[in-house]
Amino acid sequence: MSTSDQPAWPRHPLDPLTAEEFRQVTGVLRRDREVGPRWRIASIELREPAKDALVSGTGQAPPREALAVCWNRDDGHAYRAVVSLDSGAVTAWEPLPGQQPNITQDEWHECDEMLRGDPALAAALARRGITDSSRILTDLWAFAADLVPPRYRGLRLGWADVWYRGSEEGNPYAHHLSGLHPIVDLNRMALLEIDGSSSHGDALPEVMGEYLPKLIPMPLREVAPLEISQPEGVSFRLDGHLLRWQNWELRLGFNYREGLVLHTVGFNDAGRLRPVAHRLSFAEMVVPYRDPTEDHFRRTAFDIGEWGLGFMTTSLERGCDCLGEITYLDAVVHDSAGEPQLIPHAICIHEEDNGVLWKHVDHEFGPEVRRARRLVLSFHVTVANYEYLVYWRFYQDGNIECEVRATGIMVTSNFPPGEQPPYGTLVDNRTYAPFHQHFIVARLDLDVDGRANTVYAVESEPAAAGPGDPHGLGLRLRQTPLRTEAEGQQDYDWATQRSWKVVSTGTPNSLGTPAGYKLVPGGSFPALLDPSSAVLRRARVIEHALWVTPYHPDERWPCGDFPTQSAADSGLPVWTAQNRSIAGTDVVLWYVFGIHHITRPEDWPIMPVDTVSFWLKPFGFFDRNPALDLPPDGNSGCHPGGDGAGSG
Ligand SMILES: [Cu+2]
């Protein structure tokens, strides 16, 4: 996968679809499949070429194709199409009986507009003393199949919260109108009923739910300016979607569902570009609220499968979201009419100083220090009240860190005077934030030094005291190869410090040990759900921290292609029931991590970031510390060889 060997295609086959290509797909569907104004286009994305087609020996570009999912609102029938962008034709048209495609942003906005103009909701609000509909925000959620009332079976159904803004510019999510949930037929975009009418017999509680400087009841503190300057520019290079930095080389992709995708990640090791990963992305995010009361029992979000991280990606701003010398990439998604929509500055690329990378103070000659620098690729997603900030960080010593920060505004609701909430934390007057969990499934298609890889569970165990170890000090590693998909279902184990090592079955390193990368788990927590739970049936993936499957191009979505209104998980549990071999083959790791959000008063009214991460660390991939060749920093006294011993 050396870049010099890449055929000189005008566009790389992994480059995301352009605005023009979105228009072409929509035009072809309208012309050839009579996709008319009553249809919605749920998704259009690049149909990525098969792995083999990317390593083209002929210089021939693989076919350029798009995948589209659309449905007819009149009969509810959905279809999946393959559209050839080379020939401008629909080459496959697959009916999807009984499936609900992802909810579109257009439905969210149209539903809010419809509800705010609906007389039945206006009457319900008036009974609570609210007459100004401009202060109202409704927030649409998708259903689980099992929670759809029998009288509405077969409909594309949504339910909504109703929120009240305390002042014109006040926090829209500060005042929950608890016990008030419109149920909506999304295809007719009509209010079916309003569920629950209890307003706890009392006015909205007085709360301080604001975060704008002009609305908070305290003066702003003083902070001195902090500026980052790189007078000679950055040390990365971006050509189209190809990014090179400090021996790393990768391609950036983007789609409606995963948002940022990292393709063909490799490390240039003394002139040899060695593959590490074929593709890295987030494939699902499951957020169950763990509160069975009437306001929250339906509240489970599949933020990737139901809504799409790409659709919800927001533009980034210099000096606020990213500091320093920034390069931005725009992204293009589309609306439900199939028209392209530009997200300017969707992805931020920049370098950060990260403290010390390595150091030793020689007692005679003084210190030798190298500073660490990292390349950060980030994008931010706003999911109604919540934000997810995603950071992929590449380090000079071969490490890759994946960090997620959750911020924004928690879902809260109020409760009757004299009670206490059993399933959440009190955060303000008669106001609580329900406990919930954010399970993120990272899809890690690793190709460590090639495709033939084996995953090992690596555990530490104390050696039993014996003749060779009379002091009972020995610590041994137990390395267990995972040979089948059943063995690939792994849980986190604090007692053995379990981690997972992905090793190449090819050429070992110069020490004679296998070249590998280790998945260092972080942010792992158990589902803590009853086996009968509908959430578990729809998202079996959260039962384990890790799943390993043999690569299959169609296996992309761990909770199924269409989790919207799903009854059962048709992804990982179905594929892995085949119990295929995962030894010495092209493996995909599905790592489940996230935030077990036991809500705090400090998370209100806006939440300081909650941060979780996991790492991919080279383990025997290199023969020694791969960052020995870093130069000392400028004119500091941190290396005696240059500036004389022991200064500073
Ligand atoms: Cu949370």
Side-chain angles (χ1 to χ4, degrees):
M1 67 182 259
S2 158
T3 36
S4 51
D5 300 332
Q6 295 269 5
W9 292 313
R11 182 207 297 113
H12 190 275
L14 291 172
D15 283 355
L17 295 181
T18 63
E20 206 37 60
E21 288 176 318
F22 280 112
R23 279 194 200 98
Q24 188 190 354
V25 171
T26 303
V28 168
L29 291 174
R30 297 220 183 285
R31 185 193 67 204
D32 293 355
R33 290 289 156 176
E34 292 167 6
V35 171
R38 282 293 297 159
W39 289 59
R40 283 193 201 271
I41 298 179
S43 65
I44 303 173
E45 62 171 326
L46 173 71
R47 189 187 196 210
E48 291 174 21
K51 272 190 179 183
D52 289 325
L54 287 171
V55 194
S56 169
T58 63
Q60 199 74 345
R64 182 88 171 158
E65 293 177 315
L67 266 182
V69 172
C70 51
W71 82 99
N72 183 341
R73 273 180 277 178
D74 287 333
D75 60 17
H77 293 171
Y79 302 85
R80 177 159 43 198
V82 179
V83 174
S84 164
L85 293 157
D86 301 322
S87 67
V90 178
T91 55
W93 181 256
E94 176 198 354
L96 303 167
Q99 305 283 11
Q100 291 294 347
N102 53 279
I103 313 268
T104 62
Q105 294 295 299
D106 285 340
E107 287 170 292
W108 193 96
H109 290 293
E110 289 170 28
C111 182
D112 179 50
E113 199 171 320
M114 178 275 289
L115 287 174
R116 286 196 288 140
D118 189 280
L121 185 60
L125 291 170
R127 282 195 291 277
R128 294 173 181 235
I130 294 171
T131 50
D132 181 359
S133 73
S134 72
R135 293 270 182 93
I136 290 294
L137 171 75
T138 67
D139 187 3
L140 173 66
W141 290 69
F143 264 88
D146 290 353
L147 299 181
V148 170
R151 58 191 175 283
Y152 299 139
R153 291 260 159 82
L155 296 182
R156 182 172 172 87
L157 210 62
W159 67 275
D161 283 307
V162 186
W163 298 90
Y164 180 69
R165 214 185 268 271
S167 62
E168 198 182 338
E169 290 175 80
N171 176 358
Y173 290 99
H175 309 277
H176 188 242
L177 301 184
S178 304
L180 186 65
H181 299 287
I183 295 179
V184 176
D185 176 342
L186 291 173
N187 278 342
R188 287 196 303 122
M189 203 47 86
L191 175 61
L192 295 170
E193 63 179 83
I194 298 174
D195 184 48
S197 53
S198 62
S199 61
H200 302 146
D202 209 66
L204 280 175
E206 288 278 330
V207 299
M208 207 311 280
E210 304 303 335
Y211 53 85
L212 293 183
K214 61 179 159 191
L215 298 179
I216 59 175
M218 70 279 278
L220 299 183
R221 71 176 78 173
E222 282 181 25
V223 189
L226 190 157
E227 284 171 12
I228 310 287
S229 111
Q230 291 182 271
E232 292 171 35
V234 298
S235 35
F236 60 84
R237 198 176 138 192
L238 183 69
D239 295 310
H241 287 78
L242 174 66
L243 182 60
R244 292 194 191 90
W245 176 81
Q246 294 287 298
N247 298 329
W248 285 107
E249 183 172 318
L250 65 149
R251 292 198 153 272
L252 306 181
F254 193 91
N255 65 52
Y256 78 97
R257 191 149 167 171
E258 295 157 292
L260 176 63
V261 178
L262 308 185
H263 296 285
T264 56
V265 178
F267 193 95
N268 200 317
D269 184 9
R272 191 162 58 101
L273 187 61
R274 299 172 61 192
V276 173
H278 179 68
R279 197 179 188 282
L280 305 172
S281 71
F282 288 173
E284 194 51 272
M285 194 184 298
V286 186
V287 186
Y289 280 72
R290 305 300 302 274
D291 179 345
T293 59
E294 63 166 339
D295 277 310
H296 305 290
F297 75 98
R298 302 184 189 94
R299 197 181 302 281
T300 295
F302 289 72
D303 288 319
I304 293 178
E306 286 174 347
W307 295 96
L309 295 188
F311 283 140
M312 300 184 295
T313 294
T314 48
S315 295
L316 301 170
E317 217 162 298
R318 192 186 305 271
C320 308
D321 297 307
C322 321
L323 215 51
E325 286 292 312
I326 312 295
T327 297
Y328 293 106
L329 261 182
D330 298 342
V332 187
V333 288
H334 61 87
D335 63 16
S336 72
E339 282 299 306
Q341 288 187 320
L342 181 74
I343 306 172
H345 292 189
I347 299 164
C348 167
I349 306 165
H350 77 298
E351 291 177 290
E352 284 176 358
D353 178 88
N354 189 41
V356 168
L357 178 62
W358 57 257
K359 169 174 180 168
H360 180 62
V361 182
D362 183 303
H363 71 94
E364 246 177 87
F365 299 111
E368 191 75 20
V369 186
R370 296 296 180 273
R371 289 199 73 79
R373 198 184 286 202
R374 59 191 186 192
L375 179 72
V376 186
L377 314 174
S378 57
F379 72 112
H380 292 184
V381 177
T382 296
V383 184
N385 53 304
Y386 232 74
E387 346 279 318
Y388 296 103
L389 323 181
V390 182
Y391 301 87
W392 289 94
R393 301 203 182 101
F394 291 81
Y395 290 80
Q396 292 157 310
D397 58 356
N399 283 342
I400 302 173
E401 178 192 19
C402 174
E403 181 184 281
V404 176
R405 298 178 171 210
T407 177
I409 302 154
M410 294 184 298
V411 166
T412 52
S413 53
N414 51 71
F415 55 89
E419 291 186 11
Q420 282 298 317
Y423 303 103
T425 301
L426 183 72
V427 298
D428 206 324
N429 180 28
R430 279 207 293 115
T431 298
Y432 79 105
F435 303 138
H436 58 278
Q437 297 158 302
H438 308 255
F439 295 94
I440 303 165
V441 186
R443 183 180 181 279
L444 310 171
D445 179 355
L446 298 187
D447 280 7
V448 177
D449 253 353
R451 288 197 220 165
N453 287 174
T454 298
V455 184
Y456 286 78
V458 181
E459 295 170 289
S460 298
E461 58 182 8
D469 182 8
H471 309 292
L473 269 174
L475 183 72
R476 282 200 286 244
L477 278 192
R478 187 169 62 230
Q479 308 205 51
T480 313
L482 309 179
R483 294 159 306 183
T484 62
E485 288 180 296
E487 292 177 2
Q489 292 167 15
Q490 293 275 310
D491 299 316
Y492 179 68
D493 187 354
W494 180 83
T496 66
Q497 289 297 292
R498 184 180 297 156
S499 66
W500 298 280
K501 197 159 79 176
V502 183
V503 306
S504 166
T505 58
T507 317
N509 57 37
S510 72
L511 305 166
T513 52
Y517 256 80
K518 181 172 163 180
L519 167 58
V520 182
S524 186
F525 56 96
L528 300 173
L529 277 160
D530 188 87
S532 69
S533 134
V535 175
L536 262 193
R537 277 201 301 281
R538 302 176 70 203
R540 295 268 314 279
V541 62
I542 66 177
E543 286 181 307
H544 297 290
L546 179 74
W547 302 61
V548 185
T549 57
Y551 168 79
H552 188 291
D554 295 340
E555 295 178 1
R556 299 176 62 200
W557 312 117
C559 298
D561 291 1
F562 303 102
T564 303
Q565 229 165 295
S566 67
D569 189 334
S570 58
L572 270 172
V574 175
W575 312 328
T576 56
Q578 302 166 77
N579 204 21
R580 296 165 292 187
S581 166
I582 53 169
T585 189
D586 189 355
V587 290
V588 176
L589 282 70
W590 309 79
Y591 180 60
V592 183
F593 74 115
I595 298 167
H596 183 69
H597 197 167
I598 301 303
T599 49
R600 305 177 301 159
E602 288 85 350
D603 294 337
W604 169 258
I606 190 164
M607 184 181 150
V609 290
D610 207 341
T611 304
V612 289
S613 68
F614 68 89
W615 291 74
L616 296 167
K617 294 191 172 191
F619 196 117
F621 190 79
F622 301 105
D623 298 335
R624 59 177 68 82
N625 178 352
L628 276 186
D629 59 347
L630 283 185
D633 235 18
N635 50 13
S636 63
C638 56
H639 84 115
D643 306 315
S647 63

